[in-house]
């Protein structure tokens, strides 16, 4: 008689499907980049500096802000960023 | 199972088919019913998955409805379990159970209530944490970034000493009736003792409690974080015997915890932490309205109570959340 | 995404769980007690890496 027992799996048993990122452009010409502030302290100061330097590089910057760093960005905000920007930089998690 | 990262570091009960089948007898809900979507990975979770983790935690079948209801409280936008997991603060979900079910399943609201030793208390909270880890993908070192953590994150669940108290229970204060079985989830840190072994008058004891509550989480944080006060029987008796209502207690302690912001502005008293200088010259309450949750529990000997500090409240943080327990 | 260094493995785990391998840049930790000048220096430190993530 075997002593083996079948155990049921307590996990999600799921494998996330690979999601592809949008194509990266070859140059910065005409690029619009969103800067998404996750609303943690000091992040705005960091992003202000990034905005300054990215703008000096010829990149158009749009600023966005999550209502709280403790939750994912609201869906409307995500849609707005996706519709207005070629890329988004999210900062600053600590 | 440990090597597969299925555990919380402690031994678990192997979830055999037979054990899970027996566990599912603890609820009338179908095994394939999707109950919640578990953060952080927002995975749909069936009654069966909860039962598997409940077996592993050491639950009895009659605890399963409480485990399910506990997950229904924390897997909500208002409780924000993702945020509670990801924070660097030392907090986790803390469950208070009210209603006749607490007696039916043998929960502890007395001696060592915030500690170990009672199977229902210990395993219900543990089962919830195992689901968050195994199904939701949230565990220490991953999404869980707590700097220090606390042992209650292994599972923290207790019942209230409601049946012999003249005051309404936590659930009743939150709109339920005494016949309903209710679970309330609160995001909190480890308990901190409040000692007062001399106050015989309620007016004196309430000042001790206020003095301690005012420094909850930080003496320089106001309004933005809630707290739970666990009032022991001997301390609660000071108020009951003097005819105080729960409402009076909360009104008076709230007034005692009004803070002059000049004393907690950044830089005051040589301390860099504090409120911005723009907030000088006003008075603010330590807690927002209804931000202090009062629960009665503990052994009958011991002039001590406990404070459990909270986390960010409101839409940016986590809200105390209650749900009725369905059998 | 930009985060401070102690969050490297958390970011990897989230990326794995979501099946989304976004570009990640890490800055020194801590952040909360930094002056404005220190925050600017931090941004300057990682600027080239950030630029690299935007184009192919």
């Amino acid at each position: 008689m075997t002593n083996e027992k079948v155990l049921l799996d307590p996990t999600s048993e799921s494998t996330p499907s690979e999601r592809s990122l949008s194509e990266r452009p070859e140059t910065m010409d005409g690029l619009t980049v969103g800067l998404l502030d996750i609303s943690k302290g000091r992040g705005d100061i960091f992003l202000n500096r990034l905005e300054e330097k990215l703008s000096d590089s010829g990149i158009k910057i749009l600023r966005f802000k999550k209502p709280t760093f403790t939750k994912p960005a609201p869906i409307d905000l995500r849609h707005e960023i996706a519709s207005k920007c070629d890329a988004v930089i999210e900062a600053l998690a600590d | 199972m440990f090597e597969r990262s299925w555990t919380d570091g402690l031994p678990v009960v192997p979830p055999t088919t037979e054990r899970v089948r027996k566990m599912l007898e603890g609820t009338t809900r179908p095994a394939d019913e999707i109950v919640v979507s578990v953060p952080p990975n927002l995975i749909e979770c069936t009654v069966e998955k909860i039962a598997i983790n409940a077996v592993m935690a050491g639950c009895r079948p009659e605890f399963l409805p409480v485990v399910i209801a506990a997950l229904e409280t924390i897997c909500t936008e208002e409780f924000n379990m993702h945020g509670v997991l990801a924070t660097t603060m030392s907090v986790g979900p803390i469950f208070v159970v009210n209603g006749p079910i607490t007696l039916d399943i043998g929960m502890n609201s007395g001696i060592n209530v915030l500690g170990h030793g009672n199977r229902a208390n210990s395993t219900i909270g543990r089962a919830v944490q195992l689901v968050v880890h195994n199904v939701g993908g949230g565990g220490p070192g991953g999404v869980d970034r707590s700097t220090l953590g606390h042992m209650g994150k292994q599972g923290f669940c207790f019942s209230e000493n409601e049946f012999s108290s003249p005051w309404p229970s936590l659930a009743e204060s939150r709109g339920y009736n005494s016949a309903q079985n209710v679970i309330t989830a609160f995001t909190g840190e480890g308990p901190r003792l409040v000692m007062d072994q001399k106050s015989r008058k309620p007016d004196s004891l309430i000042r001790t409690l206020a003095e301690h509550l005012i420094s909850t989480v930080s003496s320089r944080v106001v309004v933005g974080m809630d707290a739970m006060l666990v009032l022991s029987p001997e301390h609660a008796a000071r108020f009951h015997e003097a005819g105080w209502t729960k409402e009076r207690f909360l009104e008076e302690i709230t007034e005692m915890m009004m803070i002059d912001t000049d004393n907690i502005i950044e830089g005051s008293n040589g301390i860099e932490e504090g409120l911005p200088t723009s907030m000088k010259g006003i008075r603010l309450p330590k807690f927002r309205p209804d931000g202090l949750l009062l629960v009665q529990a503990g052994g009958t000997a011991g002039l001590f109570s406990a404070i459990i500090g909270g986390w960010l409240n409101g839409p940016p943080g986590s809200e105390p959340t209650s749900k009725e327990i369905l059998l | 995404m930009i985060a401070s260094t102690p969050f490297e493995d958390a970011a990897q785990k989230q990326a794995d769980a979501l099946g989304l391998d976004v570009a990640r840049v890490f800055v020194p930790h801590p952040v909360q007690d930094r002056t404005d000048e220190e925050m600017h220096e931090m941004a300057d430190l990682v600027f080239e890496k950030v630029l690299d993530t935007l184009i192919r």
Side-chain angles (χ1 to χ4, degrees):
Chain A
M1 185 159 82
T2 177
N3 270 334
E4 282 182 1
K5 287 203 160 103
V6 170
L7 300 185
L8 298 182
D9 189 329
T11 72
S12 66
E13 298 181 75
S14 62
T15 313
S17 41
E18 280 296 316
R19 289 191 261 178
S20 55
L21 298 171
S22 32
E23 275 292 311
R24 289 286 173 270
E26 303 228 355
T27 75
M28 290 186 285
D29 294 343
L31 201 62
T32 299
V33 172
L35 294 183
L36 173 58
D37 184 350
I38 68 164
S39 299
K40 275 212 93 174
R42 317 306 292 146
D44 55 341
I45 311 297
F46 179 87
L47 285 170
N48 289 347
R49 182 64 168 175
L50 269 193
E51 176 177 2
E52 192 186 310
K53 292 181 73 94
L54 287 168
S55 298
D56 287 346
S57 302
I59 295 173
K60 181 180 170 189
I61 298 296
L62 295 176
R63 295 289 294 260
F64 303 93
K65 193 172 160 75
K66 271 171 58 166
T68 170
F69 58 86
T70 70
K71 296 177 181 175
I75 199 154
D76 290 348
L77 178 58
R78 285 184 255 157
H79 284 162
E80 188 187 357
I81 294 170
S83 66
K84 291 180 177 173
C85 304
D86 301 304
V88 62
I89 297 169
E90 182 179 44
L92 172 54
D94 74 310
Chain B
M1 285 179 282
F2 174 76
E3 277 155 21
R4 286 171 182 246
S5 298
W6 286 5
T7 79
D8 52 9
L10 289 173
V12 290
V13 177
T16 61
T17 317
E18 180 57 21
R19 288 194 181 116
V20 175
R21 187 195 62 73
K22 279 195 78 66
M23 179 61 67
L24 286 166
E25 289 174 4
T27 180
T28 57
R29 297 168 82 162
D32 59 358
E33 179 189 345
I34 294 173
V35 173
V36 287
S37 192
V38 188
N41 297 340
L42 297 176
I43 305 291
E44 289 187 335
C45 185
T46 60
V47 170
E48 186 190 42
K49 277 296 177 192
I50 298 172
I52 294 170
N53 284 277
V55 165
M56 293 172 73
C59 290
R60 297 179 60 85
E62 56 265 35
F63 304 169
L64 185 60
V66 186
V67 177
I68 293 171
L71 285 158
E72 287 175 322
T73 60
I74 65 170
C75 297
T76 55
E77 176 77 10
E78 74 187 304
F79 188 83
N80 187 16
M81 188 63 202
H82 188 136
V84 174
L85 267 171
T87 183
T88 44
M89 286 183 69
S90 295
V91 294
I94 295 171
F95 300 103
V96 180
V97 186
N98 288 112
I101 198 169
T102 63
L103 301 174
D104 296 341
I105 67 173
M107 290 194 74
N108 180 28
S109 63
I111 290 177
N112 203 35
V113 63
L114 304 180
H116 62 302
N118 175 278
R119 186 170 176 180
N121 289 28
S122 294
T123 61
I124 289 168
R126 189 185 184 206
V128 173
Q129 290 286 9
L130 283 175
V131 170
V132 171
H133 172 63
N134 284 328
V135 179
V143 171
D144 186 332
R145 307 306 302 178
S146 181
T147 308
L148 297 167
H150 71 87
M151 288 312 295
K153 288 179 68 172
Q154 194 125 51
F156 196 152
C157 179
F158 64 101
S159 62
E160 186 170 7
N161 178 26
E162 63 194 272
F163 300 107
S164 54
S165 170
W167 283 1
S169 69
L170 177 66
E172 287 173 279
S173 296
R174 292 175 62 79
Y176 295 87
N177 68 58
S178 59
Q180 288 176 289
N181 295 314
V182 179
I183 188 161
T184 300
F186 171 75
T187 297
E189 55 181 16
R192 177 159 64 95
L193 193 72
V194 180
M195 183 173 84
D196 185 329
Q197 300 187 92
K198 288 192 174 173
S199 290
R200 298 182 66 169
K201 298 197 177 71
D203 300 84
S204 169
L205 177 55
I206 198 171
R207 285 174 203 287
T208 298
L209 296 169
E211 218 169 62
H212 284 73
L213 278 163
I214 238 173
S215 65
T216 301
V217 181
S218 164
S219 55
R220 292 177 171 236
V221 162
V222 289
V223 183
M225 294 184 180
D226 299 339
M228 180 180 283
L229 173 64
V230 182
L231 204 58
S232 70
E234 282 209 274
H235 273 175
R238 296 286 185 261
F239 301 99
H240 298 162
E241 286 159 9
W244 284 43
T245 62
K246 190 174 183 178
E247 289 70 29
R248 178 181 173 185
F249 176 93
L250 289 169
E251 273 167 24
E252 295 211 16
I253 205 167
T254 298
E255 188 50 42
M256 282 175 196
M257 294 190 289
M258 291 301 293
I259 297 165
D260 291 313
T261 57
D262 285 359
N263 298 330
I264 57 171
I265 294 294
E266 57 193 4
S268 62
N269 209 22
I271 298 173
E272 292 174 61
E273 177 61 89
L275 298 179
T277 49
S278 57
M279 294 181 76
K280 280 184 83 141
I282 55 175
R283 296 189 87 217
L284 288 173
K286 172 68 183 179
F287 301 113
R288 61 174 177 164
D290 299 326
L292 178 62
L293 282 67
L294 198 159
V295 177
Q296 299 166 91
T300 51
L303 288 154
F304 311 98
S305 289
I307 292 169
I308 300 174
W311 188 54
L312 301 173
N313 56 33
S318 175
E319 289 286 354
T321 308
S322 300
K323 284 262 193 267
E324 191 167 5
I325 299 166
L326 304 177
L327 296 179
Chain C
M1 60 148 287
I2 307 178
S4 61
T5 46
F7 292 86
E8 283 192 64
D9 57 322
Q12 183 65 56
K13 285 193 164 94
Q14 278 271 259
D16 293 343
L18 295 169
L20 193 61
D21 195 19
V22 298
R24 301 186 278 279
V25 172
F26 295 96
V27 298
H29 191 86
V31 167
Q32 293 299 309
D33 60 353
R34 304 281 190 175
T35 63
D36 286 8
E37 197 185 325
E38 286 169 334
M39 292 308 299
H40 290 166
E41 283 168 9
M42 205 183 275
D44 292 348
L45 187 68
V46 297
F47 180 67
E48 290 300 326
K49 278 190 194 165
V50 169
L51 264 190
D52 283 346
T53 68
L54 292 174
I55 53 176
R56 202 178 303 161

